[in-house]
Amino acid sequence: MEVSAALKRLPADQRAALVLVDMMGYSVEDAAQVLQVPSGTVKSRCARGRAKLAPILSHLRNRSELNRVSSAKGAELRDG
Amino acid sequence: MTGDTHYDLEILAELAEDLLDVSTARQVREHLAVCDPCGELLADLAAVREVLAATPTPAMPMGVALRIDKALAAEAGSRRGGGVGLAEAPDWDELMRDSPWERRAAEAPRPAGPDPDDVLQPVRLGVVSDDGNIVPARSRTIRRRRWAMPAVAAAAAAVVVGTAVASTNLLAAGGGGEGGAAPIALPAQTPPQQSQPTTPQQPTRDAVRAKSYALTDSNHNYSDPELRMSLQSFLGPAPIIGSSSGADEVAKCVTTVSRRAKLDVFAVDQGQYNGQEALIVASWKQRAAKKVRIDVVDPFSCKNLRKPSLGRW
């Protein structure tokens, strides 16, 4: 499934948070201002949205460069 | 959940966002250190971010950053109490006219082509529903609310293209075909996945007349600051509604709005405004400069729920 199709499956609030933060690269704080919600809310919307997208988009992870990056990030997170 | 159990994606996503309390976070990390499957899940989550970051925002115009900055700046200034309800908002046109990005847009050289400002009649523009990946993913029954939403955003590409063609038809009388479409329409970064059928098969005039705007149903609850930014970023991913459903009701409001504005409505989204059901109607103010007028209207009475504002596509 492609990204835009996957995004459509999310509730609008989660989609907006992910578009701003992950796609457009805005900080959580800026996104919070634009969306008029607290930063924590943006974070949790992002988290929930990503949790929903992960199974849907996991096949994309095996694409060359994405794979490398995500693994590195994963390792970093895993090691705290 | 204990250290012996696997953690679900949501917990892991919260860990990544630092939303867990310290002790839970430690527990999860300890578990991750020894649990490969959970580590995989975490990597999947990180991959989501990467995939999203690597995905071009659909048809994002250049002014987005400015628009958002503007929204952020305005945030501080325009904190007038609550603002829910129908009270007249500040003069949006005035506000927008003086905004930095608005000025910049005015000075920017415009691509050649007819200025939509000159097109006064409420023309039906663009054909959208044919483009591949924006087509309704989930078909939602819209019986309940009887309008359809103009796909404000995603449709962008297709709409803009369609519009270009329509304008050509209008002003150049019958130039049904010169391929002016793609060049004018898209910011360089057309997302690969969206590019397929985005280039419309030249709509015939009848087709143009039949479907003039894109309808989407984002069901998003819009706030003023959001409406000051690119609508595309919100609506891009919204499902487009087939023209069949509730189109008449929407058409009524669209006609009303376009008469009132004397502009071409090209996109309508079905959602909410401050918690109230609303149609977000976008019409071209200056298409070349990607300036739009945004009307937020009651879907039933077609009355404006707030003063129309200028925005950017």
Side-chain angles (χ1 to χ4, degrees), chain B:
Chain B
M1 209 174 275
T2 74
D4 299 317
T5 331
H6 291 304
Y7 290 95
D8 62 29
L9 279 164
E10 203 149 318
I11 296 282
L12 296 173
E14 287 175 358
L15 172 73
E17 277 300 324
D18 233 358
L19 291 169
L20 300 178
D21 62 77
V22 179
S23 69
T24 310
R26 192 187 319 122
Q27 260 182 356
V28 179
R29 285 206 170 94
E30 282 167 4
H31 174 79
L32 281 168
V34 297
C35 177
D36 281 344
C38 285
E40 277 296 301
L41 289 184
L42 191 60
D44 279 346
L45 282 169
V48 169
R49 305 192 65 163
E50 300 302 330
V51 168
L52 289 178
T55 304
T57 314
M60 191 57 70
M62 58 205 174
V64 174
L66 286 171
R67 199 156 34 250
I68 292 179
D69 289 347
K70 170 73 184 158
L72 292 176
E75 239 280 315
S78 71
R79 279 218 175 273
R80 332 180 143 214
V84 185
L86 312 182
E88 261 303 65
D91 187 336
W92 294 107
D93 281 318
E94 212 45 50
L95 212 64
M96 292 297 131
R97 185 169 310 123
D98 291 338
S99 67
W101 53 263
E102 199 59 39
R103 273 202 301 274
R104 198 162 314 190
E107 289 157 12
R110 297 222 212 96
D115 184 336
D117 274 350
D118 297 332
V119 185
L120 292 183
Q121 59 274 67
V123 188
R124 310 316 196 100
L125 295 181
V127 174
V128 176
S129 44
D130 287 338
D131 61 307
N133 109 4
I134 314 183
V135 190
R138 46 181 157 133
S139 43
R140 210 205 263 193
T141 327
I142 344 189
R143 284 291 101 90
R144 193 174 52 92
R145 314 209 237 89
R146 294 119 38 188
W147 62 73
M149 305 256 179
V152 180
V159 173
V160 174
V161 173
T163 305
V165 173
S167 299
T168 303
N169 283 350
L170 277 174
L171 300 183
E178 35 240 348
I184 311 184
L186 299 185
Q189 16 120 295
T190 308
Q193 325 86 328
Q194 298 218 353
S195 53
Q196 319 125 359
T198 293
T199 312
Q201 32 306 60
Q202 297 294 352
T204 66
R205 284 191 204 164
D206 285 348
V208 167
R209 211 153 293 162
K211 298 189 266 171
S212 57
Y213 46 86
L215 303 177
T216 51
D217 178 13
S218 72
N219 202 24
H220 184 66
N221 187 6
Y222 289 87
S223 61
D224 283 330
E226 286 171 311
L227 289 170
R228 261 170 261 151
M229 6 183 322
S230 161
L231 290 176
Q232 284 185 48
S233 58
F234 290 101
L235 297 181
I240 287 200
I241 292 173
S243 55
S244 53
S245 48
D248 288 349
E249 283 79 3
V250 181
K252 188 186 67 176
C253 284
V254 168
T255 307
T256 307
V257 168
S258 75
R259 278 211 191 105
R260 209 148 51 198
K262 296 192 169 57
L263 294 172
D264 306 322
V265 172
F266 67 99
V268 183
D269 188 39
Q270 172 176 309
Q272 300 166 44
Y273 174 65
N274 288 336
Q276 184 174 358
E277 287 192 356
L279 288 177
I280 314 298
V281 181
S283 30
W284 289 120
K285 186 90 174 168
Q286 282 188 8
R287 202 185 57 70
K290 294 192 190 307
K291 284 203 242 177
V292 299
R293 164 176 159 143
I294 304 164
D295 287 82
V296 179
V297 303
D298 181 291
F300 305 106
S301 69
C302 302
K303 285 190 180 143
N304 277 57
L305 296 177
R306 63 162 211 176
K307 194 163 169 63
S309 66
L310 285 187
R312 292 190 108 208
W313 188 242

Side-chain angles (χ1 to χ4, degrees), chain A:
Chain A
M1 175 173 313
E2 288 304 338
V3 175
S4 58
L7 278 171
K8 286 180 199 167
R9 299 186 161 197
L10 298 181
D13 57 349
Q14 294 173 18
R15 186 168 61 222
L18 285 180
V19 166
L20 284 172
V21 174
D22 284 358
M23 289 181 86
M24 296 172 65
Y26 282 89
S27 70
V28 168
E29 289 68 29
D30 283 353
Q33 282 235 315
V34 171
L35 299 174
Q36 290 196 308
V37 297
S39 298
T41 305
V42 172
K43 285 185 179 183
S44 64
R45 285 178 184 175
C46 285
R48 275 181 279 135
R50 289 182 201 125
K52 287 200 187 104
L53 290 182
I56 307 177
L57 295 180
S58 59
H59 68 286
L60 295 179
R61 191 185 144 203
N62 296 324
R63 281 188 193 162
S64 54
E65 77 283 352
L66 293 175
N67 189 32
R68 239 185 309 119
V69 177
S70 63
S71 296
K73 267 212 162 157
E76 182 189 315
L77 282 167
R78 187 204 314 220
D79 302 338

